[in-house]
Amino acid sequence: MATLGLIEYKDASPEVRAVFDDIMATRKIDWINNFWKALASDPATLRRTWESVKQIMAPGALDPLTKEIIYVAVSTTNQCTYCIASHTAAARKAGMTEAQFAELMAVVGMANETNRLASGYQVEIDERFKA
Amino acid sequence: MATLGLIEYKDASPEVRAVFDDIMATRKIDWINNFWKALASDPATLRRTWESVKQIMAPGALDPLTKEIIYVAVSTTNQCTYCIASHTAAARKAGMTEAQFAELMAVVGMANETNRLASGYQVEIDERFKA
Amino acid sequence: MATLGLIEYKDASPEVRAVFDDIMATRKIDWINNFWKALASDPATLRRTWESVKQIMAPGALDPLTKEIIYVAVSTTNQCTYCIASHTAAARKAGMTEAQFAELMAVVGMANETNRLASGYQVEIDERFKA
Amino acid sequence: MATLGLIEYKDASPEVRAVFDDIMATRKIDWINNFWKALASDPATLRRTWESVKQIMAPGALDPLTKEIIYVAVSTTNQCTYCIASHTAAARKAGMTEAQFAELMAVVGMANETNRLASGYQVEIDERFKA
Amino acid sequence: MATLGLIEYKDASPEVRAVFDDIMATRKIDWINNFWKALASDPATLRRTWESVKQIMAPGALDPLTKEIIYVAVSTTNQCTYCIASHTAAARKAGMTEAQFAELMAVVGMANETNRLASGYQVEIDERFKA
Amino acid sequence: MATLGLIEYKDASPEVRAVFDDIMATRKIDWINNFWKALASDPATLRRTWESVKQIMAPGALDPLTKEIIYVAVSTTNQCTYCIASHTAAARKAGMTEAQFAELMAVVGMANETNRLASGYQVEIDERFKA
């Protein structure tokens, strides 16, 4: 069970409901996932985290699908079970195909491999990369 | 210094030169970065790693820039100094703008934060994400 | 199931029981959690690990609650499910309030974010920090 | 060199200067460290990150020294060179003694060790910890 | 459930069956574990990953048991639940005794501890180690 | 510079010298590397860490070279620069050949890759691995 429990919409304070409402409106959905219900025990963190996520994940120089793909790459590298599940779902909702998922996994796997080869062989940074 | 040293093209065996030549031809460059020079001490790993990288990073369901962006996301999460330097350079060469880099960093940072909030609060995976 | 099984008190050797007894006496509890039952398959590691934990977690320049808070911070960063559960329980027993837990999580999340921003932007260490 | 360079106060836009001014006023210092100068290339991230750090690190249920100690624990676990240097300096400024630093390191080291023992032995979470 | 599902032998394409057959023949077993069934959704990654694993894990300068031990060490450090379970089983099949497993865990734990002490204390690399 | 400085033998207290002497006698060397000089600022941690390392790294069910190889595998996975340098040197002193080092790196790289493929594809643990 979540450490401080999950706060459902019907039991939420007006302050928490306002954030829940904004999450549902922004994402055009009618439910709240457990991550936000867990954070709702700390309304300040709930609001700050949501405001940051909303700002960062909005379309910009990178499109929303690319941003979700980056999120899955980080969550997979960190082996965060919850985050892999929730952001893989989000990436699919944003249009990720099975072929794109498979390539994403291939790149994430390879990068984790070469990261260790570079460190383990104690490779020095090329001057050209320091500019 | 790299653990087993760096092997320069002029000192390389024909087997290693063949890989170096393919790297330069595939990437349309005329130099080899230290990572490959370090792996050249183990020609089997040099060849296998290059063949995998070549296959994985080729255009497919994801475009080359997106793949380099994923590579930077993983390397940053792992804090691999060499890989951050080399793949940030590669991503720029593939067309990454400063604005895209800044958004990439913002997403990577946020994902690393929420990964820990999800785990630390012991949030259970929503049934909807298990399908 | 734990790799080498869990050794219960009633089935334990005198050597293992001595450690179990010391754990219960030191912590003023009447049960042993699975971590120690799993380590009991290797009495040398059981003893060494317990002696180290006992020495390190004793009150000193930092109080026991602060030490448990640090333990939760590390376990959350590493995403160790067992350790998050057991040390969050230990921190609460040591007096951690819900408000303190929430702030702990906020700091852990933020630190994981800025760790990646610092690395990803390849920020050089300020001279002032090197003293 | 930092990927997008470091922006000095004298070269900063009014938007960036406003954040720099707030950092210096809040921390009662007269200089800006490289982390913020690097983020200044992306004013939106600079502002959001600073506002979050300011809110999270303010005195609350946990005192500022404890918060800096948590920051060092996370940075050390992640092996973020820049962050270890900057937050160890910040913790000392907040009053951390050498004895406290030494105990912090001992707990961080031990937690990283037992995190792996718990995972490696595949220890199941005790029912008592699930409440 | 695995993101793209698990592909059973009877439902597999000839391309996937060829890899499954080689896995069973090489390992002298008559079943396929879930990892390969999951990768089978992407035949190119299935083949590349298996060919790499087959080449790397074959007897060479290091014997197969030592290689499986290294695999468990990495998986434990990364806290990859699936990999800890599967490679602990593989190491046992390769002859790992309970005493060897226990010592492996002790070294992995200790290394994770001293890794953080070295980084946290900001220890500089000795000149003698740079040769 | 190391956070609390490095304590040289000539400046060390009798308590610290006793540990330094034991390190040199056990390892049959006539110098102390920076790691121990840094820990010497906290004699309790210096002694506890050395006693643990001495006990764990002694020949047992696993030989000393295998143990150093495991240490390098963990340090590489964690990207601990100091530890990679010091334990690669230690492994070589224990007899590791260049061919063994190269295979070690190949396994470490591969394990880091498949760890992420297993997690990213959300592969469930096979029943056979749970026994």
Side-chain angles (χ1 to χ4, degrees):
Chain A
M1 214 184 79
T3 308
L4 303 186
L6 300 177
I7 294 184
E8 301 295 335
Y9 188 89
K10 64 180 172 54
D11 305 317
S13 67
E15 186 185 4
V16 166
R17 279 193 184 185
V19 177
F20 282 5
D21 285 337
D22 194 38
I23 292 172
M24 292 189 285
T26 304
R27 296 186 165 173
K28 303 187 200 320
I29 53 176
D30 63 356
W31 64 294
I32 294 291
N33 58 303
N34 289 346
F35 177 74
W36 303 110
K37 291 181 188 170
L39 286 193
S41 293
D42 177 8
T45 292
L46 174 69
R47 174 165 293 285
R48 189 185 58 247
T49 306
W50 166 245
E51 292 295 343
S52 293
V53 166
K54 186 182 176 181
Q55 182 182 342
I56 290 169
M57 300 304 280
L62 296 175
D63 62 278
L65 174 55
T66 300
K67 290 184 174 183
E68 283 296 346
I69 280 173
I70 296 167
Y71 230 107
V72 174
V74 170
S75 302
T76 299
T77 298
N78 285 329
Q79 317 234 23
C80 176
T81 311
Y82 184 87
C83 315
I84 291 169
S86 61
H87 286 280
T88 298
R92 282 172 150 177
K93 203 181 150 206
M96 181 177 68
T97 64
E98 296 207 351
Q100 288 174 322
F101 172 76
E103 292 195 10
L104 163 60
M105 286 296 110
V107 179
V108 168
M110 197 72 220
N112 272 288
E113 177 168 3
T114 57
N115 277 197
R116 272 62 184 207
L117 291 175
S119 301
Y121 271 90
Q122 302 187 74
V123 186
E124 297 147 307
I125 299 180
D126 304 72
E127 285 305 316
R128 295 196 194 209
F129 293 150
K130 292 183 181 166
Chain B
M1 214 184 78
T3 308
L4 302 186
L6 300 177
I7 294 184
E8 299 296 333
Y9 189 88
K10 65 180 172 54
D11 305 318
S13 66
E15 187 184 5
V16 166
R17 279 193 185 184
V19 177
F20 282 4
D21 284 337
D22 194 37
I23 291 172
M24 291 189 287
T26 303
R27 296 185 166 174
K28 302 187 203 320
I29 52 176
D30 63 356
W31 64 294
I32 294 292
N33 59 302
N34 289 346
F35 178 72
W36 303 109
K37 290 181 188 170
L39 286 193
S41 293
D42 177 7
T45 291
L46 174 69
R47 174 165 293 285
R48 188 185 59 248
T49 305
W50 166 244
E51 292 295 344
S52 293
V53 166
K54 186 182 175 182
Q55 183 181 341
I56 291 168
M57 300 303 280
L62 296 175
D63 61 277
L65 175 55
T66 301
K67 290 185 175 183
E68 284 297 345
I69 280 172
I70 296 167
Y71 230 105
V72 174
V74 171
S75 303
T76 299
T77 299
N78 285 329
Q79 317 232 23
C80 176
T81 313
Y82 184 87
C83 315
I84 292 169
S86 61
H87 285 281
T88 298
R92 283 172 150 177
K93 204 181 149 204
M96 181 177 69
T97 64
E98 296 206 350
Q100 288 174 321
F101 172 77
E103 292 196 11
L104 163 60
M105 287 296 109
V107 179
V108 168
M110 197 70 220
N112 272 288
E113 176 167 5
T114 58
N115 277 197
R116 272 64 183 205
L117 291 174
S119 302
Y121 271 91
Q122 303 186 72
V123 186
E124 297 148 307
I125 299 180
D126 303 71
E127 286 305 316
R128 296 195 192 208
F129 293 149
K130 292 182 180 166
Chain C
M1 212 184 80
T3 308
L4 303 186
L6 300 177
I7 294 183
E8 300 295 334
Y9 188 90
K10 65 179 171 54
D11 305 317
S13 66
E15 187 184 5
V16 166
R17 279 193 185 185
V19 177
F20 282 4
D21 285 336
D22 194 38
I23 291 172
M24 292 189 286
T26 303
R27 296 185 166 174
K28 303 187 201 319
I29 53 176
D30 62 356
W31 65 294
I32 294 292
N33 59 304
N34 288 347
F35 177 73
W36 303 110
K37 291 180 188 171
L39 285 193
S41 293
D42 178 7
T45 292
L46 174 69
R47 174 164 292 285
R48 188 184 60 248
T49 305
W50 166 245
E51 293 295 343
S52 293
V53 166
K54 186 182 176 182
Q55 183 183 341
I56 290 168
M57 301 303 281
L62 297 174
D63 61 278
L65 175 55
T66 300
K67 289 184 174 184
E68 283 296 346
I69 280 172
I70 296 167
Y71 230 107
V72 174
V74 170
S75 302
T76 299
T77 299
N78 285 329
Q79 316 234 23
C80 177
T81 312
Y82 184 86
C83 315
I84 291 169
S86 61
H87 285 280
T88 298
R92 282 172 150 176
K93 204 180 150 205
M96 180 178 69
T97 64
E98 295 207 350
Q100 287 174 323
F101 172 76
E103 292 196 10
L104 163 60
M105 287 297 110
V107 179
V108 167
M110 197 70 220
N112 271 287
E113 177 168 4
T114 57
N115 277 198
R116 271 64 183 205
L117 291 175
S119 301
Y121 272 90
Q122 303 187 72
V123 186
E124 298 148 307
I125 300 180
D126 303 72
E127 285 305 316
R128 296 196 192 209
F129 293 149
K130 292 183 181 166
Chain D
M1 213 183 80
T3 308
L4 302 186
L6 301 177
I7 294 183
E8 301 294 334
Y9 188 89
K10 65 182 172 53
D11 305 317
S13 67
E15 186 184 4
V16 166
R17 279 193 185 185
V19 177
F20 282 5
D21 284 336
D22 194 37
I23 291 171
M24 292 189 286
T26 303
R27 296 186 165 172
K28 302 187 203 315
I29 52 176
D30 63 356
W31 64 294
I32 295 292
N33 58 303
N34 289 346
F35 177 73
W36 303 110
K37 290 181 189 171
L39 287 193
S41 293
D42 178 7
T45 292
L46 174 70
R47 174 164 293 285
R48 188 185 60 248
T49 306
W50 166 245
E51 291 296 343
S52 293
V53 165
K54 186 182 175 182
Q55 183 182 340
I56 291 168
M57 300 305 281
L62 296 175
D63 62 277
L65 174 54
T66 300
K67 290 184 174 184
E68 284 295 346
I69 280 173
I70 296 167
Y71 230 106
V72 174
V74 170
S75 303
T76 299
T77 298
N78 285 330
Q79 316 233 23
C80 176
T81 311
Y82 184 87
C83 315
I84 291 169
S86 61
H87 285 280
T88 298
R92 282 172 150 175
K93 204 182 149 202
M96 181 177 68
T97 64
E98 296 207 350
Q100 288 174 322
F101 171 77
E103 291 196 10
L104 163 59
M105 287 296 110
V107 179
V108 168
M110 197 71 221
N112 272 288
E113 177 168 4
T114 58
N115 276 197
R116 271 64 183 207
L117 291 175
S119 302
Y121 272 91
Q122 302 187 70
V123 186
E124 297 147 308
I125 299 180
D126 304 72
E127 285 305 317
R128 296 195 193 210
F129 293 149
K130 292 183 182 166
Chain E
M1 212 185 79
T3 308
L4 303 186
L6 300 177
I7 294 184
E8 300 295 333
Y9 189 89
K10 64 179 171 55
D11 306 317
S13 67
E15 187 183 5
V16 166
R17 279 193 185 185
V19 177
F20 282 6
D21 285 336
D22 194 38
I23 291 173
M24 292 190 284
T26 303
R27 297 185 164 174
K28 304 186 201 319
I29 52 175
D30 63 356
W31 65 293
I32 293 293
N33 58 303
N34 289 346
F35 177 72
W36 304 109
K37 291 180 188 170
L39 286 193
S41 294
D42 178 6
T45 292
L46 174 69
R47 174 165 292 285
R48 189 185 59 248
T49 305
W50 165 244
E51 292 296 343
S52 293
V53 166
K54 186 182 176 181
Q55 181 182 343
I56 291 169
M57 300 304 279
L62 296 175
D63 61 278
L65 175 54
T66 300
K67 289 184 174 182
E68 283 295 347
I69 280 173
I70 295 167
Y71 230 105
V72 174
V74 170
S75 302
T76 299
T77 298
N78 284 331
Q79 318 233 21
C80 176
T81 311
Y82 184 86
C83 315
I84 291 169
S86 62
H87 285 281
T88 298
R92 281 172 150 176
K93 203 182 150 204
M96 182 177 69
T97 64
E98 296 205 351
Q100 288 174 322
F101 172 75
E103 292 195 10
L104 163 60
M105 287 297 109
V107 179
V108 168
M110 196 72 220
N112 271 288
E113 176 168 5
T114 57
N115 276 197
R116 272 63 183 206
L117 291 174
S119 301
Y121 272 91
Q122 302 187 74
V123 186
E124 297 148 308
I125 300 180
D126 303 72
E127 286 304 317
R128 295 195 194 210
F129 293 149
K130 292 182 181 168
Chain F
M1 213 184 80
T3 308
L4 302 186
L6 300 177
I7 294 184
E8 301 295 335
Y9 189 89
K10 66 180 171 53
D11 305 317
S13 68
E15 187 184 5
V16 166
R17 279 192 184 185
V19 177
F20 282 5
D21 285 337
D22 194 37
I23 291 172
M24 292 190 285
T26 303
R27 296 186 164 173
K28 303 188 201 319
I29 52 175
D30 63 356
W31 63 294
I32 294 292
N33 59 302
N34 289 346
F35 178 73
W36 303 110
K37 291 180 188 170
L39 287 192
S41 293
D42 178 6
T45 292
L46 174 69
R47 173 164 294 284
R48 188 184 59 248
T49 305
W50 165 245
E51 292 295 343
S52 293
V53 166
K54 186 182 175 182
Q55 182 182 341
I56 290 169
M57 300 304 279
L62 296 175
D63 62 278
L65 175 54
T66 300
K67 290 184 174 182
E68 283 296 345
I69 280 172
I70 296 167
Y71 230 105
V72 174
V74 170
S75 303
T76 299
T77 299
N78 284 330
Q79 317 233 25
C80 175
T81 311
Y82 184 86
C83 315
I84 291 169
S86 61
H87 285 280
T88 298
R92 282 172 150 175
K93 203 182 149 203
M96 181 177 68
T97 64
E98 296 206 351
Q100 287 175 322
F101 172 77
E103 291 195 11
L104 163 59
M105 286 298 108
V107 179
V108 168
M110 197 71 220
N112 272 287
E113 176 168 4
T114 58
N115 277 197
R116 271 63 184 206
L117 292 175
S119 302
Y121 272 90
Q122 302 187 71
V123 186
E124 297 148 308
I125 299 181
D126 304 72
E127 285 306 315
R128 296 197 193 208
F129 293 149
K130 292 183 182 166

